[in-house]
Amino acid sequence: MAGIYGWFNPADVSFFPPCPFKLLTGLECPGCGSQRCLHQLMHGHIRQAFAYNPLLVLSLPYLLLGFLLEYTPLGRKQPELHRRLYGKTASWLVFGVVIVYWIGRNWL
């Protein structure tokens, strides 16, 4: 799947799926622009990727750390870090950030 986003630019081709939320409401969801953002990141264009979806760009270190803690021995060595950054409280905090971003990108 990553190869598809690296090879084809979603801004230029029509076979990438459109956002159903945006089709129904005309508003952008938190994920809108993610496909174009991933394409730009894969080509090293950080500023353009940020313009398409800043939340995705800013969350990549957090997502990468979560992947490392979950799927490598690092998680067994750092269980407290895993619990603090990806436990119930952290999940609610991330959910809140996504909601604030969703509202902010449409009404601010």
Side-chain angles (χ1 to χ4, degrees):
M1 189 60 144
I4 293 172
Y5 286 114
W7 190 262
F8 297 101
N9 185 350
D12 298 333
V13 295
S14 62
F15 59 81
F16 288 96
C19 175
F21 183 79
K22 189 168 185 174
L23 286 175
L24 291 172
T25 66
L27 300 173
E28 293 187 340
C29 78
C32 280
S34 294
Q35 296 177 87
R36 291 169 289 168
C37 176
L38 287 173
H39 175 79
Q40 295 301 325
L41 284 172
M42 293 178 93
H43 291 275
H45 305 140
I46 307 296
R47 282 190 183 151
Q48 187 61 45
F50 191 85
Y52 284 129
N53 192 315
L55 183 62
L56 178 60
V57 174
L58 295 174
S59 67
L60 284 177
Y62 180 77
L63 296 170
L64 178 61
L65 179 60
F67 180 83
L68 291 173
L69 289 172
E70 190 66 33
Y71 298 108
T72 68
L74 182 62
R76 287 189 295 274
K77 293 178 184 175
Q78 300 290 333
E80 182 62 22
L81 178 64
H82 188 274
R83 186 189 64 74
R84 283 183 181 248
L85 293 177
Y86 301 96
K88 185 177 180 179
T89 302
S91 296
W92 280 108
L93 184 63
V94 168
F95 178 72
V97 167
V98 170
I99 296 299
V100 168
Y101 174 73
W102 193 349
I103 293 168
R105 82 182 314 194
N106 287 297
W107 288 290
L108 294 180

